[in-house]
Amino acid sequence: MPVRPVTDAASAAPALTAFLRGVERRGAVFARLQAGDPDQGLAALASAMASFRAVAARTPFSDWPRRFWALLLATPQLREPVAGGWWPEGFQALERTGRGPRAALLLRLVAHVSEADAAAVLGVGRPVYRMALRRALPRRPDGSADAEAWRELGEAAQRALRELSPETLAELARLRQAALEGSAWTPAAPEPEPEPRPRPRWLWPATGLVATAAVAGIVAVQLLSPQAATPGPGPEGIVREELPATPAAGTWDADLLLLAHPDFELLANGGQDPAMRDPAFHAWLVHQLEGLPPIEDPAGEAAGPEAVDDAAAAAVMPPELQEHAASLPPAEARRLARRQARLQAMPAHEVLALREEAMAWDALGLSRQRARRDAWQAWNRLPQSDRMLMRQAAAAYAELPAQDRADLADEFAALDALERNGWQLGPRLGADWPELHPLFALVPVAQQEALLDVLMSMGAVERADLAVVAQRTPPGEREALRQALLTTPPGNRPAWLRNQAGR
């Protein structure tokens, strides 16, 4: 039996209260250690709890922990480093750890989520999560893992969870109540400082006498002591050297999580392209706007993204990524190499925009993510000529007055859902879809891609004949017609369709 969201009002409130009460301590410590600032940590926890109140109503209870930690990591306070961040005793090593591996480590030590859930929270596969966790482990000078430091870090995390101050616990209770009520949380005002007591009159003269005596003693020691020796090697021949400065953390940690994002291609290609984000609307626009080139059937055009030289992509991978790619199946390793080559070719501002896009994506609801993925898959099925027309339509649409744009958007939204979905097939097939749809209704999943490939390869005359045949075929005979359409050789298909249509 599927697990349903907790939507019943009688049970939702107690369940949400119990969940937030059980997670608030870990959330506070996690956010404080991830941000490096207690105030930013509390603000992040307040934002996550407020967002989770709405998410919980439409999420199965078993998925609550995963969604809560994902929301917490997606808050603005935890996405960017805090200027002047500091970590308490026992956690100083976290300051030298990148934010990605730090989050992986804290999900293990503080959040206490499983490996599978931690990988899902970060939006990566389990092998990549393990790699991020290894990067965050304390190390000895020779580079080996420091088991003792790891144990001490775990004990420090447990102490931090147990020893929250009464003031922090009271603030967490206020924060939880604000989230449950849907009201804004504001930090409690600090208590006023007590009035200073007047100093005794004799204090300042006494302080002056003590300072004068101290200065006189220092001068006497310098005059009576022999000349200090110049600095040299330490006792027993030990030579002192300044340790090299710790190199600044690079972008590798953030890049690793970005490269492993399951929707990397979608975000890297479709983030700023309106036609790619909404192919159905822009395919429909091609027929609505004047001045666009005529719609023609492509001649032997390949669909989908351009091919990438896998060997060249692998050659530019950094050593750490090459080592990780060697442990993956060949197809996964090639995909990782192509992603790295794409990321390396981007200007810095585009990489930053892509990271922000990935964070915003992870905060989207599942239904909106699914809709974006469907649009991305539909776009990749289209031939280059269709995509070029749709981009030209997007550019022409952007130049229209605001009222004209609003009218077109409302007109498209008023279409029947079946017709709107049909336009995802592009400007050519979308126009024919109302007549072709009866043949493709309730198609088995195993046939869908093959039938779409056949449709994409047809010319306008073939589609017109197929539309006639589809309208004439009773529902009980459509499966046989689909099988015949798939098995007829492409060279024979035009004559076969003309015969079926009685032309």
Side-chain angles (χ1 to χ4, degrees), residues 18 33 40 78 83 90 94 107 135 157 175 177 227 256-258 270 296 368 375 434 444-445 465:
L33 295 177
Q40 290 290 330
L78 300 192
L94 297 179
L107 284 170
R135 289 177 59 81
L175 189 152
Q177 192 61 31
Q227 186 68 25
L256 175 63
L257 295 180
L258 188 59
E296 299 177 358
R368 294 181 63 186
V445 175
D465 289 338

Side-chain angles (χ1 to χ4, degrees), residues 129-152:
Y129 171 72
R130 295 190 197 106
M131 183 178 179
L133 192 59
R134 285 197 299 271
R135 289 177 59 81
L137 293 179
R139 300 282 173 180
R140 296 190 180 94
D142 62 359
S144 61
D146 190 338
E148 182 63 22
W150 167 253
R151 183 184 62 79
E152 291 175 355

Side-chain angles (χ1 to χ4, degrees), residues 306-482:
E306 298 179 0
V308 178
D309 186 338
D310 291 335
V316 299
M317 293 172 67
E320 291 182 344
L321 195 57
Q322 288 181 357
E323 180 182 352
H324 175 61
S327 65
L328 299 175
E332 290 292 320
R334 288 194 297 271
R335 184 174 69 167
L336 193 63
R338 289 194 294 269
R339 289 180 171 186
Q340 167 63 18
R342 175 70 185 274
L343 197 65
Q344 193 171 34
M346 286 184 179
H349 70 277
E350 289 187 9
V351 175
L352 180 61
L354 180 57
R355 290 187 186 131
E356 293 175 349
E357 178 81 5
M359 292 175 185
W361 171 270
D362 293 337
L364 288 178
L366 294 179
S367 60
R368 294 181 63 186
Q369 288 182 351
R370 189 180 303 113
R372 287 279 303 276
R373 289 190 187 106
D374 290 345
W376 165 247
Q377 292 168 3
W379 175 265
N380 282 323
R381 282 196 298 262
L382 299 176
Q384 183 64 25
S385 58
D386 281 9
R387 288 185 274 163
M388 185 178 299
L389 277 173
M390 292 157 64
R391 283 184 169 128
Q392 290 172 342
Y397 176 76
E399 296 296 326
L400 294 176
Q403 186 58 51
D404 291 349
R405 294 199 304 270
D407 291 343
L408 284 168
D410 291 342
E411 186 178 347
F412 179 75
L415 296 177
D416 181 83
L418 182 150
E419 189 174 355
R420 288 199 308 271
N421 292 336
W423 284 109
Q424 286 202 340
L425 299 175
R428 294 177 302 112
L429 297 185
D432 299 334
W433 184 246
E435 288 75 30
L436 295 173
H437 174 261
L439 180 60
F440 294 89
L442 304 178
V443 173
V445 175
Q447 287 186 2
Q448 289 176 1
E449 290 298 325
L451 284 169
L452 282 175
D453 289 343
V454 170
L455 273 181
M456 292 288 183
S457 68
M458 285 183 174
V461 175
E462 288 180 82
R463 293 196 305 274
D465 289 338
L466 181 60
V468 172
V469 176
Q471 296 294 325
R472 292 178 179 175
T473 304
E477 299 177 15
R478 288 172 185 165
E479 175 60 24
L481 178 59
R482 287 193 292 263

Side-chain angles (χ1 to χ4, degrees), residues 113-130:
V113 298
S114 66
E115 181 181 278
D117 283 348
V121 166
L122 295 173
V124 301
R126 294 172 73 171
V128 176
Y129 171 72
R130 295 190 197 106

Side-chain angles (χ1 to χ4, degrees), residues 183-233:
S183 59
W185 169 82
T186 54
E191 294 184 3
E193 294 287 338
E195 291 291 333
R197 291 183 298 175
R199 296 176 179 270
R201 294 183 177 181
W202 54 265
L203 182 60
W204 285 114
T207 303
L209 289 175
V210 172
T212 303
V215 170
I218 294 172
V219 172
V221 169
Q222 290 181 343
L223 292 176
L224 298 176
S225 299
Q227 186 68 25
T230 58

